Amino acid sequence: MKIYGVVGYKNAGKTGLMERLVTEITGRGFTVSTLKHAHHTFDVDHPGKDSYRHRHAGAHQVLLSSRARWALMTELRDNDELPLADLLQHLDPVDLILVEGYKRDDHPKIEAYRAETNHPLIAKEDPTIRAVASDCALDVTQPLFDLNDTKAIADFILSEVGL
């Protein structure tokens, strides 16, 4: 499986870019899965639901299934967060996995950047960032794309991973 990341600071446009890339790349006939890193506690379950009650009773894993989808939740409790490489092993084989976040990992990435956030560019210090997608002109050595030019960004990523 090919892996490519989208990184950037908060409100840089990562999630919107990910969403547009999934639509663009799957529209070309490729299979795509996504993996997103969250820097905070999150919950896909809600108090009062049966699966929530199972987890809070102490279950290590809860698998929730329906005709439309299934989801497996694993409680880490006091264990460390799993590394990206371990998480990737849980995904079914696809043509491309797009990873949002995990900016310190060693896979190729594109940085999303918005001028209004006024954050420093990660790309200036990180050789794994192969391109920047921005809403403004920037002085970078990597290829620079308009943040909204999804087709060009998809072309670049697919070329980079050999698809």
Side-chain angles (χ1 to χ4, degrees):
M1 288 188 291
K2 311 293 186 175
I3 300 162
Y4 214 90
V6 175
V7 298
Y9 288 100
K10 184 177 180 167
N11 297 321
K14 298 179 303 291
T15 302
L17 178 57
M18 287 277 292
E19 182 180 11
R20 293 189 312 274
L21 286 170
V22 170
T23 299
E24 176 70 26
I25 295 169
T26 58
R28 297 181 188 193
F30 294 104
T31 56
V32 177
S33 288
T34 64
L35 194 155
K36 180 183 177 9
H37 186 258
H39 290 284
H40 46 78
T41 301
F42 69 93
D43 210 335
V44 296
D45 215 355
H46 303 285
K49 297 294 184 184
D50 294 348
S51 53
Y52 182 92
R53 293 170 60 191
H54 295 184
R55 283 189 310 116
H56 282 269
H60 171 65
Q61 289 187 310
V62 176
L63 194 146
L64 182 61
S65 179
S66 75
R67 251 180 263 152
R69 70 190 53 88
W70 66 271
L72 176 63
M73 294 174 279
T74 302
E75 289 297 313
L76 294 176
R77 307 277 181 225
D78 293 325
N79 296 311
D80 290 338
E81 180 178 359
L82 293 176
L84 177 61
D86 291 356
L87 295 169
L88 290 169
Q89 293 179 27
H90 292 282
L91 295 175
D92 290 340
V94 292
D95 296 316
L96 177 64
I97 298 172
L98 290 173
V99 177
E100 183 177 341
Y102 291 94
K103 65 181 160 219
R104 291 179 181 86
D105 283 71
D106 199 26
H107 57 282
K109 305 167 192 78
I110 186 165
E111 179 177 359
Y113 182 86
R114 281 203 173 113
E116 71 185 47
T117 64
N118 202 27
H119 289 291
L121 268 170
I122 302 165
K124 293 202 180 231
E125 305 294 325
D126 186 344
T128 67
I129 296 179
R130 307 278 172 80
V132 177
S134 176
D135 64 351
C136 64
L138 295 169
D139 182 23
V140 293
T141 58
Q142 300 92 334
L144 180 63
F145 295 95
D146 182 299
L147 184 58
N148 294 311
D149 192 351
T150 308
K151 183 184 179 316
I153 296 168
D155 289 343
F156 177 80
I157 290 171
L158 293 173
S159 174
E160 281 269 293
V161 300
L163 291 175

